[in-house]
Amino acid sequence: MKMIFIWAIILFIIPNTYSKSNIKNAKKAVYTVSGNCEMCKKNIESAAKINKTAFGIWDKNTKQIVLIFDSTKTSADEILRKIALVGYDNDKYLASNEAYNDLDKCCQYLRKELPKTKVDVMLPIKEVDNLNASISDNLEDPKNAEIIQKTDTIKQEPIIIAPIVIVKDSVRTNIPTNNAKVKTAVSKTDFTAFLTQYYAIKNALIADKMVAANKNAALLLVEIDAIRMDKLSSDEHMVWMKYFDKLKADVTKISVAKDIEKQRIAFSSLSNNLWLTVKGMKINDNGAIYVDYCPMKDAYWLSSEPAIKNPYYGSSMLTCGSIKETIK
Amino acid sequence: MKQKLIKIAKWVFNLLKRIFKAIFIHEKACCKSILLFMVILTSQNIFAQKTVHYDLHIKDTIVTFGGKEKRGIAVNGQIPMPTLTFTEGDTAEIFVYNDLDEESSMHWHGLFLPNKEDGVPNLTQMPIPPHTMHVYKFPIIQHGTHWYHSHSGLQEQIGMYGSFIMNKRENDPTFRKGIDDLPTVPIVLSEWTNLKPENVHRMLHNASDWSAIKKGTTQSYFEAIKAGDFKTKLKNEWKRQLAMDVSDVFYDKFLINGQNESQLTQFKGGDKVRLSISNGGASSYFWLSYAGGKITVVANDGNDVEPVEVDRLIIAVSETYDIIVTIPNDSISYELLATPEDRTKSASLFIGNGIKQLDNSLPKLKYFEGMKMMNDMVKMNGNLKDMGMKMSLNQMDMNVVMYPEITGNLKTKSERKEEKELQKYGEIEEQEMQMEDTNRYNGNALSDIVTLNYAMLKSPTITSLPNDAPVKVLNFRLTGNMNRYLWSLNNKVVSESDKILIKKGENIRLIIENASMMRHPMHLHGHDFRVINGQGDFAPLKNIIDIMPMETDTLEFNANVEGDWFFHCHILYHMMSGMGRVFSYENQAPNPLIPNPKLAQRKLFSEDRKFHFMIENDFASNGNDGELMLQNKRWSLGTEWRLGYHKMHGFETETHIGRYIDKMQFLQIFAGFDYRYRKLEMNEIEKNLFTQKNSKDNRILASIGLEYTLPLLVKLQAEVYHNGYVRLQLMREDIPLTKRLRMDFMVNTDVEYMVGLKYIITKNLAAKIHYDSDMGVGVGLTIGY
Ligand SMILES: [Cu+2]
Ligand SMILES: [Cu+2]
């Protein structure tokens, strides 16, 4: 039996332990790597590390990294590429926008302004809905808007200009202060503002952002109150009277709920009532309104774009669902 | 050049004029028209007579692509092979010098040429013997981006691939300003493995999971539990499936024009660059994306298509695409990123001058999501379900469930918990997704990323076939069995089927359904086919089509050039396993390069009949356990032995020769031969569960039996010996517990049992601990090949 143990030790343990040795054929090189903080230091240095082959030491004040590497096995370029892959621009490589955006907020250093393009770059066109998604982000983190505007504009998400939220000045004063970044604009119809605000809640739910949903629901309450019944035709008035209380009740629930799943339950009810309202009052937004259906929750929601973005599961099952009806 | 031609033409014209004048002085008017006609003829002759000559020297070489010195094959000292450039109307004259110590050949992929120039050894010519020379000579009657490669053995894997570019004539009516006159760079994608390709092939056939270990895609039980997908894994094994990957081979490096990273510094901001890309990889599909914006696709398989703008495209093995990219900025070079489908590594080409802008890298695949999808797809009998979805032309990609950039990142632990909680309270129904949701696999509908698919390709010219020709319809099912790496068409390999006879002038319609679980790039030699993709008369022309699992595609071509033309899957290891057919024209003239057709056929068939060899011995503290296997498509010969260190343990060997019966190869019948020598204690008699006795210390037995694979991949063996003795046995090998830890167990009616744990250290070495009812506990090292 003793033999067996010895065998076991030899077989299972030895292959897994290797002696720590110094780097052979060591070469030293210094480069500049963008970054902000201690967290950046950790990210950069772990990207630079290759077992027994390379490591780097980065200084957050000078932004310089000292690389020590085995020049027969790797190169400074290879290491700098790895650093850029985790999001840090450096002398040789620029990180992709995705890698940069994936950095923690505190690590998102200021990127250098790059010369403007000479040709028309084909910028990906994003639907309006994305704009709304960023509203909810901005509401949570006002710093965000600044950062986005400073990032370089070449081949990346469009710059988020002021999110469009339509507000009546008379009531605006009651609203929490976090919409300093929110610019006002004038709507064509009262319902556009109303729907836009509904979509903002939806986008908050899509992004799993409970606080943003709270805030946007509060804003929607204002929009509901802002609908002037005396401007409605008598038919519209009847419909509106029928759903007014229900809509308000649902929205209130969302605005006070401290649990995103409760918000979603209220949102499902809100969506049903809104659907009936929209149909009943023959509201047409500037574009089409899509009524989407989530088979797993047996719930509906409205959207301004045909792409499915399911607000009932958040990012986990974003694209599950189908268009049930298109209101034009 | 042009002026010279005009001069010559004038001279000829004048000369003829004089002659004609002398002969027919009185019929001047009539003569002039004849003369004009003749001039045109002569000038065309001058065009056609331009012969472009290349010498290609094939030589063994040592390369270090994978960081180690390994054998490669270089042509004119280059990997990839040199780019060959022609203009439509030229005559190609290519001298191939085989300086290897083995046979070789050269195939001109996608070219229209006489059959004897096609370069398929033992089909269109005999192989080029070592240290000899062969001449290929054929007129260039098309234009576009193509490539060339060895069609012998696995030579393509280790360097024999290169670009073959045929330019349009300047006065070509299809010449597109702003596309065909852009600066153009030929590009060949490929991959490198430090293993010998023969060894890769052998390991694939022995279901070795070494590639998966290297890639980190074992998909073991431990990994499944960690990901919250234990049930998924169990269900998968219950359905008798081994863990699947999107590709089979582990590669050490991926290459663009022979380099992992390179830069085209000759271009500057504002330039538009055309890249003529061929995928010369033996088995890798590549995703192509560009850090400087959208990609404009302008040609596919050498045929022009209407320009289409996309964010990314996948280029199948052996496909070619011509794309245009724009450099947005002067001081930055932008990455063209080629990521193999398994996303293990990548290769980059930076276009422009200056600091290198990386493209978004592709996130790791969500393998257990793929496994779930597969569980939904596969029936208990191993066949694929008919999901009631008409899938074709790469429009639906079931693999999107694995792509985080489209279907979102993996859920974190807390998210999964939350979901479970909700399920408990019935707030979410079981995760069974709606099958009728048609967009479920449509990447373009699911995200903002536009991925190219074949339905988006449209020819700028009418491609319809002669409509008075008779139509012949051929149906093919792409079939396969991953466990034993068996790939076939209609469950038959090349050596098991006859040539498919077609008639010259016929329109051949191919309806191809992929009933296997891997995608296959199907390639037809010598012809372009139309892909029926909803573009009507403007259906695109291609010579290879990627068909994903469960897809059905319809292709058609006009049979217009006699010969024996290979039609096969271009994944090298699938082709070598026999996944192909030969189209042959009825009553065609014999090929002068095949003097002995019978011999050629035998040699051709021998490729997929090869036996694959495997041996393993466990040097343990309580004895030796070993196994030797020789397998091919249908047959399996295996010998197991146990050799104790003292007499009581004795010596025992069992040999089985078996043949697989069913399509899925779950059932095998075999004949066996056992020999045992040992010394039992006095008066000790062994009894089996059927109370049959067995006391001989020295026995020789013959047997017949059946082996059947049960759910969870447990093998049930029933064996009857010539003396009436019966034995039943249950066994499971290689249960993947963790990435490298495997478990085996065995129990039989002789009341013998065994359980073992194996830790895989390298591809040939494992540490093993096992308990055996005969020999007790043993610890040892397993060495295998
Ligand atoms: Cu080929
Ligand atoms: Cu071929």
Side-chain angles (χ1 to χ4, degrees), chain B residues 24-218:
Chain B
F24 315 99
I25 289 177
H26 39 270
E27 281 185 341
K28 250 186 182 168
C30 162
C31 282
K32 228 174 187 167
S33 62
I34 293 172
L35 279 177
L36 264 174
F37 179 67
M38 293 200 61
V39 168
I40 292 163
L41 268 185
T42 352
S43 59
Q44 257 178 8
N45 271 340
I46 291 164
F47 269 119
Q49 267 153 16
K50 195 187 157 206
T51 297
V52 178
H53 179 91
Y54 282 101
D55 287 307
L56 302 178
H57 298 268
I58 312 173
K59 263 204 185 91
D60 265 334
T61 182
I62 299 290
V63 294
T64 54
F65 290 124
K68 287 181 184 161
E69 292 194 349
K70 295 286 165 188
R71 179 195 174 215
I73 302 178
V75 165
N76 299 357
Q78 278 176 257
I79 293 178
M81 305 195 286
T83 298
L84 308 185
T85 313
F86 303 87
T87 302
E88 186 172 354
D90 290 350
T91 296
E93 185 184 82
I94 304 165
F95 288 12
V96 175
Y97 302 84
N98 179 11
D99 297 339
L100 302 174
D101 293 325
E102 62 190 48
E103 294 174 341
S104 192
S105 62
M106 213 60 100
H107 166 60
W108 321 101
H109 182 107
L111 262 68
F112 307 148
L113 35 59
N115 191 241
K116 68 181 177 55
E117 310 296 338
D118 195 41
V120 182
N122 301 313
L123 185 68
T124 68
Q125 68 174 90
M126 293 315 285
I128 308 173
H131 307 289
T132 62
M133 184 266 233
H134 184 89
V135 177
Y136 292 97
K137 190 168 180 175
F138 48 87
I140 301 289
I141 54 170
Q142 71 204 107
H143 51 72
T145 301
H146 295 272
W147 64 296
Y148 67 113
H149 59 87
S150 164
H151 220 295
S152 292
L154 302 163
Q155 292 174 345
E156 184 195 330
Q157 176 77 84
I158 54 172
M160 290 188 68
Y161 42 79
S163 287
F164 195 110
I165 309 284
M166 294 172 286
N167 294 316
K168 284 180 187 174
R169 276 190 286 237
E170 243 172 78
N171 58 357
D172 193 307
T174 68
F175 195 89
R176 299 182 289 178
K177 279 236 167 73
I179 295 176
D180 292 328
D181 50 5
L182 289 176
T184 302
V185 182
I187 281 177
V188 188
L189 309 175
S190 63
E191 76 273 266
W192 182 262
T193 165
N194 275 340
L195 294 179
K196 272 193 185 154
E198 292 74 20
N199 204 5
V200 171
H201 193 45
R202 186 186 64 84
M203 281 163 66
L204 287 169
H205 282 273
N206 289 318
S208 157
D209 55 3
W210 181 243
S211 263
I213 291 173
K214 290 281 272 183
K215 290 206 236 173
T217 58
T218 310

Side-chain angles (χ1 to χ4, degrees), chain B residues 532-594:
Chain B
I532 307 306
N533 71 340
Q535 303 284 11
D537 284 348
F538 298 91
L541 291 171
K542 287 176 66 57
N543 56 64
I544 107 113
I545 183 160
D546 169 48
I547 307 178
M548 294 202 278
M550 309 185 69
E551 281 194 332
T552 303
D553 286 325
T554 304
L555 321 171
E556 58 180 25
F557 66 95
N558 182 253
N560 57 8
V561 51
E562 281 188 353
D564 283 355
W565 301 103
F566 210 0
F567 169 62
H568 62 92
C569 173
H570 216 291
I571 291 176
L572 188 57
Y573 302 99
H574 292 188
M575 179 182 88
M576 293 303 285
S577 307
M579 190 169 191
R581 284 291 184 279
V582 174
F583 284 115
S584 185
Y585 283 70
E586 277 177 28
N587 306 319
Q588 63 189 10
N591 182 338
L593 298 186
I594 303 279

Side-chain angles (χ1 to χ4, degrees), chain B residues 379 383-387 389-393 474-480 488-491 510-520 522 545-555 567 579 663:
Chain B
K379 289 193 276 195
N383 285 329
L384 296 183
K385 273 181 204 162
D386 177 18
M387 312 270 277
M389 258 189 285
K390 274 175 233 133
M391 305 221 300
S392 64
L393 307 163
L474 296 165
N475 281 284
F476 291 104
R477 273 168 73 84
L478 311 183
T479 40
S488 51
L489 300 182
N490 300 336
N491 290 308
L510 305 177
I511 301 171
I512 310 176
E513 179 198 350
N514 187 350
S516 82
M517 262 172 288
M518 294 289 271
R519 62 201 303 173
H520 300 283
M522 298 304 297
I545 183 160
D546 169 48
I547 307 178
M548 294 202 278
M550 309 185 69
E551 281 194 332
T552 303
D553 286 325
T554 304
L555 321 171
F567 169 62
M579 190 169 191
K663 206 172 67 186

Side-chain angles (χ1 to χ4, degrees), chain A residues 70-84:
Chain A
D70 179 344
S71 55
T72 61
K73 285 190 177 152
T74 185
S75 63
D77 277 35
E78 194 180 330
I79 300 166
L80 290 171
R81 183 194 165 97
K82 286 177 69 186
I83 292 171

Side-chain angles (χ1 to χ4, degrees), chain B residues 299-399:
Chain B
N300 172 222
D301 287 355
N303 293 300
D304 287 351
V305 294
E306 292 286 358
V308 49
E309 234 175 53
V310 295
D311 292 303
R312 65 177 191 182
L313 60 137
I314 196 164
I315 178 167
V317 174
S318 84
E319 249 182 334
T320 80
Y321 276 105
D322 283 57
I323 63 171
I324 294 174
V325 294
T326 307
I327 303 171
N329 204 298
D330 220 1
S331 55
I332 302 177
S333 63
Y334 292 84
E335 183 177 38
L336 177 83
L337 180 64
T339 313
E341 205 189 359
D342 64 14
R343 304 180 174 199
T344 46
K345 298 183 169 78
S346 63
S348 335
L349 175 70
F350 290 91
I351 305 164
N353 211 333
I355 190 166
K356 294 163 174 171
Q357 171 67 60
L358 295 178
D359 191 26
N360 294 331
S361 50
L362 288 177
K364 281 217 160 72
L365 294 173
K366 300 179 282 182
Y367 279 100
F368 287 109
E369 295 300 314
M371 193 181 274
K372 265 180 218 160
M373 176 264 288
M374 187 172 136
N375 287 346
D376 287 347
M377 231 163 88
V378 185
K379 289 193 276 195
M380 240 3 250
N381 64 8
N383 285 329
L384 296 183
K385 273 181 204 162
D386 177 18
M387 312 270 277
M389 258 189 285
K390 274 175 233 133
M391 305 221 300
S392 64
L393 307 163
N394 285 196
Q395 294 169 96
M396 304 275 176
D397 179 357
M398 315 226 1
N399 287 340

Side-chain angles (χ1 to χ4, degrees), chain B residues 651-657 670-678 686 688 692-705 719-727 750 752:
Chain B
F651 172 74
E652 197 174 339
T653 143
E654 276 183 45
T655 302
H656 287 169
I657 299 175
F670 62 84
F673 171 80
D674 283 20
Y675 170 74
R676 179 167 82 182
Y677 170 78
R678 70 174 168 188
E686 284 191 332
N688 73 4
Q692 288 170 313
K693 282 175 199 163
N694 161 33
S695 58
K696 270 190 206 156
D697 284 344
N698 195 347
R699 66 171 183 188
I700 300 172
L701 293 171
S703 68
I704 52 164
E719 206 169 353
V720 183
Y721 293 87
H722 72 267
N723 58 2
Y725 191 81
V726 176
R727 190 178 80 170
D750 291 353
E752 289 174 330

Side-chain angles (χ1 to χ4, degrees), chain A residues 4 7 11-12 81 84 90-96 98 115 117-119 122 154-155 296-297 313 319 321, chain B residues 261 270 291 293 309 328-330 335 348 355-360 427-429 434 437 446 759 779-781:
Chain A
I4 294 168
W7 270 95
L11 294 174
F12 286 93
R81 183 194 165 97
N90 55 56
D91 286 338
K92 291 278 181 82
Y93 293 92
L94 300 176
S96 73
E98 207 168 80
T117 61
K118 279 187 175 171
V119 289
M122 297 158 275
I154 297 158
K155 197 242 160 182
M296 289 191 298
K297 269 275 169 99
Y313 287 101
T319 51
Chain B
E261 184 183 313
E309 234 175 53
N329 204 298
D330 220 1
E335 183 177 38
S348 335
I355 190 166
K356 294 163 174 171
Q357 171 67 60
L358 295 178
D359 191 26
N360 294 331
E427 295 193 21
I428 307 179
E429 289 162 39
Q434 250 60 14
D437 185 358
L446 291 175
Y759 183 84
V779 180
L781 274 181

